[in-house]
């Protein structure tokens, strides 16, 4: 029976539905063997799910293993129905579409709040790149980016991309948001930076981006938006030319396991992923005021073992790993502003990492 139910549940994401809860019983006293609670966007989505030919093809298996199935609406009063960070089953394409709508909404807000006017100073670099450059340069044969081909994955509106160009690189910025790239192109022209912009999911970057690169760069707040890190790492490896260097700095998965609203450091969310996405509803954005029209997003927890394992399995060689105490955005209202970003209060600063940095190389 479980095999059948797993197959049916696997169809939910195609119709924008989510599995909220799944409970198992012993079937005694005529009680159900299994109870599932789904949410559907609307009645049309439910009707489409029920009529899905793939579901109909499973009818013979259902009739063989299940005495009866009952479908009825319920009211969800408990916290799991609306809580942020709850784990849900959702199809990648449905999750990606929700995330794209959310990031499209962020563009206009971030264009106002990212401080683009500071780049009117031709020497100005983003805080992120200013932090990352010394580490990256130490692993480059020529000790700088001058004349190197750099691919910046998940570049958003291009502040870090333009900063890499100002550091001397020939830069290609890749993002899945058309609005972000349009803003990035205007910003680069105003800043006097020559950047190539390509619209693509990062998981399809190799097919979309021509040429190969001395450096592939991504930083920061990136890979939690991806469900398949092996596919991600394969794109990175394929974009690099032999001898090329990969750099990532991102939020630490141990940080993401913490309750951002708790009065002390308290674990709330899974550190290890199980393939399900975490669902979030948040009208705000991490930078500046304003609200988005599409507040629902989906992210995936990835432990360090998964991140490092994916890069190693792709054929990259690890050169450097480090963990940091300072984050470029305020993860929790309890964080205090320090040089370079935000950190936990001093008494807690050594208790949990905020970021990790990985540098890896493609040897052949």
């Amino acid at each position: 029976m479980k095999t059948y139910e797993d197959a049916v549940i696997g169809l939910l994401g195609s119709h924008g539905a989510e599995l909220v809860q799944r409970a198992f019983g012993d079937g005694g006293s005529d009680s159900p063997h299994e109870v599932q609670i789904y949410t559907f966007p609307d009645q049309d989505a439910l009707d489409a799910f029920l009529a899905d030919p793939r579901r109909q093809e499973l009818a013979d298996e259902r009739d063989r293993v299940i005495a009866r199935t009952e479908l009825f609406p319920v009211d969800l009063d408990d916290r799991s129905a609306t809580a942020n960070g709850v784990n849900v089953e959702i199809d990648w394409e449905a999750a990606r579409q929700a995330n794209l709508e959310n990031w499209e909404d962020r563009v206009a807000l971030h264009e106002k709040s990212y401080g683009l006017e500071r780049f009117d100073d031709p020497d100005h670099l983003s805080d992120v790149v200013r932090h990352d450059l010394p580490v990256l340069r130490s692993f480059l044969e020529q000790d700088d980016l001058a004349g190197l081909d750099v691919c910046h994955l998940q570049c958003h509106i291009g502040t870090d991309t333009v900063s890499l160009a100002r550091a001397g690189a020939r830069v290609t910025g890749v993002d899945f948001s058309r609005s972000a790239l349009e803003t990035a192109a205007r910003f680069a022209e105003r800043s006097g930076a020559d950047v190539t912009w390509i619209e693509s999911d990062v998981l399809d970057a190799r097919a979309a981006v021509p040429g190969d690169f001395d450096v592939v760069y991504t930083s920061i707040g990136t890979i939690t938006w991806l469900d398949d890190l092996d596919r991600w790492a394969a794109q990175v490896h394929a974009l690099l030319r032999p001898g090329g260097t990969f750099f990532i700095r991102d939020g630490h998965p141990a940080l993401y396991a913490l309750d951002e609203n708790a009065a002390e450091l308290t674990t709330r969310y899974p550190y290890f992923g199980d393939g399900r996405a975490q669902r979030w509803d948040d009208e705000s954005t991490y930078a500046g005021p304003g609200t988005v029209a599409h507040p629902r997003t989906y992210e995936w927890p990835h432990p360090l073992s998964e991140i490092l394992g994916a890069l190693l399995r792709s054929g990259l060689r690890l050169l450097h790993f480090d963990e940091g105490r300072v984050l470029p955005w305020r993860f929790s209202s309890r964080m205090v502003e320090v040089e370079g970003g935000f950190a936990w209060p001093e008494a807690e600063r050594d208790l949990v990492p905020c970021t990790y940095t990985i540098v890896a190389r493609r040897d052949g």
Side-chain angles (χ1 to χ4, degrees):
M1 183 177 77
K2 186 175 184 300
T3 300
Y4 164 76
E5 295 293 353
D6 287 346
V8 172
I9 289 170
L11 303 176
L12 290 171
S14 301
H15 302 283
E18 298 173 359
L19 175 65
V20 176
Q21 196 166 357
R22 187 178 186 184
F24 300 94
D26 60 10
S29 303
D30 202 33
S31 63
H33 284 276
E34 183 171 341
V35 177
Q36 301 166 5
I37 300 176
Y38 309 143
T39 61
F40 283 85
D42 50 41
Q43 184 64 44
D44 289 343
L46 173 58
D47 292 341
F49 168 72
L50 295 176
D52 192 319
R54 295 170 296 175
R55 183 174 178 273
Q56 301 299 326
E57 289 173 3
L58 295 166
D60 290 343
E61 179 67 9
R62 178 193 64 211
D63 294 342
R64 185 181 70 82
V65 299
I66 299 176
R68 70 179 190 275
T69 299
E70 298 179 20
L71 190 67
F72 52 90
V74 297
D75 292 324
L76 297 178
D77 295 325
D78 71 320
R79 177 176 172 272
S80 67
T82 58
N84 268 327
V86 65
N87 290 333
V88 298
E89 299 273 2
I90 184 166
D91 177 77
W92 161 251
E93 289 299 330
R96 179 227 182 246
Q97 182 60 34
N99 289 341
L100 176 58
E101 290 172 350
N102 177 270
W103 279 96
E104 288 274 292
D105 290 348
R106 297 188 194 204
V107 170
L109 301 176
H110 289 177
E111 189 172 6
K112 296 177 180 178
S113 62
Y114 264 40
L116 302 188
E117 66 281 355
R118 290 178 294 176
F119 286 83
D120 292 343
D121 175 358
D123 295 324
H124 180 78
L125 302 179
S126 69
D127 290 343
V128 169
V129 168
R130 200 155 14 92
H131 180 283
D132 293 344
L133 268 181
V135 180
L136 175 57
R137 282 171 172 157
S138 69
F139 292 94
L140 299 177
E141 184 175 340
Q142 63 184 52
D143 195 37
D144 64 26
L145 293 181
L148 297 185
D149 295 309
V150 175
C151 183
H152 180 196
L153 298 177
Q154 295 171 272
C155 66
H156 193 36
I157 64 171
T159 51
D160 299 333
T161 324
V162 166
S163 296
L164 292 168
R166 285 186 167 182
R170 293 185 294 268
V171 189
T172 297
V174 180
D175 200 87
F176 75 154
S177 165
R178 179 170 300 179
S179 296
L181 293 176
E182 290 171 351
T183 294
R186 292 194 301 270
F187 166 58
E189 183 177 5
R190 165 183 158 181
S191 303
D194 185 11
V195 178
T196 300
W197 306 101
I198 295 180
E199 181 183 347
S200 173
D201 282 2
V202 65
L203 297 181
D204 300 316
R206 177 62 286 180
V209 179
D212 50 18
F213 297 87
D214 300 295
V215 175
V216 172
Y217 173 90
T218 183
S219 179
I220 187 168
T222 55
I223 62 173
T224 60
W225 301 100
L226 310 176
D227 68 334
D228 187 345
L229 290 197
D230 281 324
R231 183 174 169 186
W232 162 75
Q235 307 304 304
V236 171
H237 183 275
L239 287 166
L240 287 169
R241 57 181 53 126
T245 302
F246 172 63
F247 179 98
I248 181 173
R249 180 166 63 104
D250 213 333
H252 202 290
L255 176 81
Y256 292 149
L258 297 177
D259 186 339
E260 68 275 30
N261 298 314
E264 56 188 15
L265 296 178
T266 304
T267 300
R268 175 177 176 183
Y269 309 108
Y271 176 83
F272 295 99
D274 61 4
R276 292 182 294 170
Q278 293 175 326
R279 184 186 66 206
W280 302 91
D281 287 289
D282 185 356
E283 293 183 342
S284 67
T285 176
Y286 59 84
T291 59
V292 296
H294 300 90
R296 176 157 293 186
T297 58
Y298 299 90
E299 298 182 54
W300 286 262
H302 300 297
L304 284 176
S305 56
E306 183 185 0
I307 299 165
L308 288 165
L311 293 170
L312 294 173
R313 285 190 295 273
S314 77
L316 296 179
R317 176 168 57 91
L318 181 66
L319 299 179
H320 172 77
F321 174 79
D322 193 16
E323 296 167 294
R325 296 171 176 82
V326 178
L327 200 64
W329 78 95
R330 182 173 263 134
F331 169 81
S332 166
S333 60
R334 292 201 309 110
M335 283 186 153
V336 296
E337 192 164 2
V338 298
E339 183 179 358
F342 300 90
W344 294 109
E346 191 169 354
E348 300 174 345
R349 208 160 292 171
D350 292 337
L351 298 180
V352 62
C354 289
T355 64
Y356 67 88
T357 300
I358 297 170
V359 183
R361 177 155 296 151
R362 173 175 175 172
D363 290 324

